[in-house]
Amino acid sequence: GIKRDSKIQKARLKLPILAEEQQIMEIINENSIIILAGETGSGKTTQVPQFLYEAGYALEKMIAVTEPRRVAAISMSKRVAQEMSMTSKEISYLIRFEGTVTDQTKIKFMTDGVLLKEVQTDFLLTKYSVVILDEAHERSVYTDILIGLLSRIVPLRNKKGIPLKLIIMSATLRVQDFTENVRLFKVTPPLINIDARQFPVTVHFNKRTNENYLQEAFIKTSKIHKENSEGGILVFVTGQQEVNMLVKKLRNAFPFRNKYKFETQNEKEINDDNRDEENINLQKRLRKKKTKIIPEINLDDYSLPGDNEDSENEELNSDEEFETEMTVVSNNSQPLWVLPLYSMLPSHKQAKVFQPPPPGSRLCIVSTNVAETSLTIPNIKYVVDTGKTKMKLYDKITGVTSYIVTWTSKASASQRTGRAGRMGPGHCYRLYSSAVFNDIFQDYDTPEIQQKPVDDLYLQMKCMNIDKVANFPFPTAPDMLQLKMSENRLTTLGAIKDNRVTPLGRAISKFPVLPRYGKMLALSHQYELLPYTICLVAALSVQEVLLENPIGQTDSEEVKNVRQKWISLRRQWAGTGNFLLLGDAMVLLKAVGAAEYANSEGKLEKFCIENGLRYKAVVEIRKLRIQLTNEIKTNMPEIDIVVDPKLNPPTDLQAKLLRQIMLSGMGDQVAKKITPDELKDGEERRKYKYAYHANNMEEPVYLHQGSVLRKNLPEYVIFQEIYETNKMYMRGVTAIEPE
Ligand code: ADP
Ligand code: MG
């Protein structure tokens, strides 16, 4: 039996789920697959594993619990260990590069990516008696794939007489994708709904939507603190930096009255931050060491959901701008106990949000969306919702991921609101207007699997040894036609052969871009061309780097002159011989190098205007180069690269090799010059002077007026994409020479 601390037992008994233990366990005992839905805070994550443990499910095998977020895996394992008075050796966690699992482990919390990797080596998951997939409503790609896999593994285990239970847990009742999907589960699994007591929450919209939501959050929080009655405040912002910034401002604005005692405590926290940074750096170094000895493909190539909030590459929000616009409030109110909360926050600090604030003070937690459903913070009466979230965005052309701050969904907003109604009636302050909410907010977030580029998804699933991706029982399927096309593209690329992933495919899958660019990057390592290829992938993924006309000017003689000047500059950049054959790619490399040089002299904007580059595009390219370089460094520590903004131009040999690299990735996008012999009269010849036949296209495609390759009109070219204005034009064109 478990010896529980009396205080903990008292807290447990208040949880709605505890009253349902018997019923839940009966349903679990009688069914192999169960869906369990319940409001955040009802006790799903902390209690269900304990029910199973007490019912004997951990006697011979382990209980697995997956979380889409690392922070939840760690923090929940600790909490459950504490509630059960057991150690981390028994109630353990395992995330990408660290964990506390031992041979005594009974309950194992892990990220969904970790369990997926285990499926690769032990398809039947024989170590476990139960698998709990937590936070299924978040619809992370890995959890979705796990649901599909487990829908097959569970019957197999039953057939073999070593039964496995699957429990899918969700914070919302929106589970139709799992229940009404006969391809997934032939028999609809029973749905248990935990009735959690939820108090009414009054929603207050702002009349107007202030762009500067951090400033707005500061003002609103201050106002609540000064004017409203007792009760904790929970503020939702988008990332770690925003959290820290707002925490600092609030601590400055509301220092503790009991100065000595509390301020030092708050100050100590700030000092702790530095120490934590050292810790994180140390961990990173250790992580790098460890990855070196893992020879296998890394399933965690793509940062896990939740990584985004602490993405190292996140754009720095200008602290200064914030500072000047901020009116510092002088006040004499009650002290405010301000705490940060985000994924990368060290656990001892995370633990603080669960403890009561110092007597006489008000609790205020500034959090990323980890507090939306993953972690339940007690005693919140006021929620301040910026309505913003950081979203992973995949570039359609290259698959490069970036993070953008966008409006969250109505479903998320309602989750955030709900956080204020756990202990009594509450208030939610939405820092946006009801019009914005009604007209702009989506109802639900799109499942990640439908946002991810299919080539990438397909390759990753092949790397998991999934035989027929098209037949995979997805909870929500990606576009099947697209999947079929991915298969063809990947086969052409050499990533897939005879329906199996090749070693090249495995290498490609390591790069955080679309497979075609992954192949280019993988090969570049061999030739030490990586900085150039990174620059090219970045430049090719940004639209309209090279302008055709000066922005906002009408067609005049002067404009024509400027345009001519730009075209001749690009010809100059393209050079001759192997350089020229590299075509648009060469122009982009030179343009980026020259722009970065101008930037180092503080003249970037002027340089861009004068030389026909779009300023924002250049800034974007730099960001992408840094991001790509960092991601490659993280995923492949054995590769040693740094970003040198002012990239020296490639040598003649390098230019030639780069052309081969381009061909290796875009060999399926070839166009052949329409020869004069095919055409009859002179007029036609003139019309078709710059025309090509692209594979699979009836209509001719053209070299654009701005293309440097018009000069030598190569017989074969590869292109990055085709776009249409008055005609079909090729973008990102490079020549290939027939051997
Ligand atoms: P659910 O998974 O249904 O959202 P949880 O099991 O995470 O609910 O939480 C149940 C209760 O346990 C909540 O009231 C939460 O505040 C509390 N709790 C969770 N972790 C901790 C912790 N580390 N310290 C104190 N209380 C905690
Ligand atoms: Mg939970």
Side-chain angles (χ1 to χ4, degrees), residues 38-46 67 72 76 134-135 137 169 171 373-376:
E39 257 294 331
T40 303
S42 56
K44 300 181 298 299
T45 312
T46 52
E67 299 287 340
M76 290 299 151
D134 201 6
E135 306 279 310
H137 64 275
M169 301 207 294
T373 63
S374 315
L375 300 180
T376 324

Side-chain angles (χ1 to χ4, degrees), residues 252-283:
N252 283 343
F254 300 99
F256 270 74
R257 213 189 275 149
N258 187 344
K259 254 193 162 187
Y260 184 68
K261 194 163 158 214
F262 290 121
E263 231 185 12
T264 44
Q265 213 163 332
N266 258 339
E267 255 163 32
K268 192 173 156 289
E269 291 241 323
I270 294 168
N271 290 336
D272 272 1
D273 284 336
N274 300 330
R275 215 171 312 137
D276 292 335
E277 224 151 79
E278 280 171 28
N279 258 333
I280 289 170
N281 286 335
L282 182 69
Q283 277 179 14

Side-chain angles (χ1 to χ4, degrees), residues 97 286-295 298 634 637:
F97 295 112
L286 286 174
R287 244 193 259 163
K288 279 192 183 166
K289 276 221 176 103
K290 278 192 196 158
T291 39
K292 273 194 185 154
I293 52 173
I294 302 174
N298 185 355
T634 317

Side-chain angles (χ1 to χ4, degrees), residues 443-542:
D443 286 347
Y444 299 96
D445 299 313
T446 316
E448 199 189 349
I449 210 160
Q450 292 185 321
Q451 294 170 32
K452 213 176 162 90
V454 276
D455 284 17
D456 179 28
L457 178 70
Y458 191 95
L459 185 59
Q460 274 209 312
M461 291 183 71
K462 292 309 285 186
C463 287
M464 291 170 203
N465 302 322
I466 290 169
D467 193 34
K468 291 205 176 76
V469 177
N471 293 350
F472 188 81
F474 293 101
T476 312
D479 186 328
M480 284 301 151
L481 186 69
Q482 292 281 336
L483 267 185
K484 188 74 211 150
M485 282 158 65
S486 291
E487 190 183 337
N488 293 340
R489 274 193 295 265
L490 288 165
T491 308
T492 313
L493 271 184
I496 305 279
K497 200 181 167 195
D498 302 329
N499 198 29
R500 309 198 62 159
V501 64
T502 62
L504 174 65
R506 285 193 191 270
I508 291 173
S509 76
K510 282 198 171 194
F511 290 89
V513 291
L514 283 192
R516 63 168 77 246
Y517 296 96
K519 183 172 179 184
M520 286 165 52
L521 291 167
L523 294 174
S524 300
H525 177 46
Q526 295 175 49
Y527 299 106
E528 290 175 24
L529 293 168
L530 206 46
Y532 296 105
T533 314
I534 289 174
C535 183
L536 271 179
V537 171
L540 289 170
S541 69
V542 174

Side-chain angles (χ1 to χ4, degrees), residues 558-572:
E558 200 190 320
V559 166
K560 265 185 211 155
N561 287 340
V562 172
R563 193 159 55 205
Q564 210 44 55
K565 190 188 124 198
W566 288 352
I567 288 176
S568 51
L569 174 67
R570 283 165 205 174
R571 291 222 176 100
Q572 205 182 310

